[in-house]
Amino acid sequence: MPKKSDANVRAPLSRWGRCNSSQAHVDGALVVYLAGELDLSTAQQLRRRLMAVAESNTAATIVLDLSDVSFIDAHSCGLIVNAWSVAKSHGRRLRVDGLRGIPARVFRLLGLEPVLAWRTPETHQGGIIGGRYGGGGQRPAERRSVGGTHAAR
């Protein structure tokens, strides 16, 4: 398990309706933690966050930790692919970590797992739930998923 910088403290969460986000530097990578639902209602904020991160010079590796994402639509996946392309054009690598549940199925159906996924609990031997960077299994109060229309599915 990688050690988190700055005594395991994450930046404060940003709330976008039914989604939360924060970021931290972990082992030289910029990790963006997302929680809740990524759909059309959060697309504008997601696009802004992803483009800012993809175009920044803060780290050569960018990891989107989706461990606490309960729902993602194809449009949001397209935004992630666009950010991956922008990061790649700037000489950076963008990966997705912590895919499980609906997000894992959507990434699999769209054929994005081989290109973007760092690893998923379904493919990791032992079935560990959560991402490489500590999402999922650890749920401090500030990282709880926000309930929404897709939470009960």
Side-chain angles (χ1 to χ4, degrees), residues 1 5 7-8 17-18 25 41-42 46 56 60 65-66 68 70 82 86 88 106 125-126 136 143 147 149:
M1 172 72 101
S5 62
N8 295 328
R18 293 184 315 263
H25 286 274
S41 70
T42 60
L46 177 63
S56 73
D65 186 334
L66 303 184
D68 291 330
S70 59
N82 188 42
V86 169
K88 189 174 178 181
V106 171
Q125 189 171 12
R143 287 196 64 224
T149 57

Side-chain angles (χ1 to χ4, degrees), residues 5-153:
S5 62
D6 301 325
N8 295 328
V9 176
R10 292 191 185 140
L13 284 173
S14 298
R15 292 191 183 270
W16 322 321
R18 293 184 315 263
C19 185
N20 301 323
S21 73
S22 66
Q23 65 186 44
H25 286 274
V26 180
D27 291 342
L30 176 62
V31 181
V32 178
Y33 299 93
L34 298 170
E37 300 175 5
L38 301 176
D39 56 22
L40 286 175
S41 70
T42 60
Q44 186 176 38
Q45 294 88 353
L46 177 63
R47 184 186 59 75
R48 279 191 210 129
R49 170 59 74 101
L50 292 176
M51 288 301 105
V53 169
E55 293 173 345
S56 73
N57 289 324
T58 59
T61 301
I62 302 159
V63 178
L64 300 180
D65 186 334
L66 303 184
S67 301
D68 291 330
V69 172
S70 59
F71 178 84
I72 190 168
D73 64 5
H75 181 75
S76 297
C77 288
L79 295 175
I80 292 171
V81 170
N82 188 42
W84 170 81
S85 178
V86 169
K88 189 174 178 181
S89 73
H90 285 85
R92 291 184 244 337
R93 187 169 76 158
L94 185 142
R95 304 293 290 204
V96 174
D97 191 29
L99 287 171
R100 62 187 177 116
I102 292 171
R105 286 190 301 248
V106 171
F107 268 72
R108 199 172 301 121
L109 287 170
L110 294 174
L112 298 175
E113 250 183 2
V115 177
L116 292 173
W118 196 289
R119 78 174 173 169
T120 63
E122 288 84 1
T123 59
H124 180 69
Q125 189 171 12
I128 296 171
I129 295 177
R132 177 173 180 208
Y133 291 93
Q138 302 174 13
R139 287 190 179 248
E142 74 273 11
R143 287 196 64 224
R144 292 186 206 276
S145 297
V146 176
T149 57
H150 305 291
R153 293 183 188 172

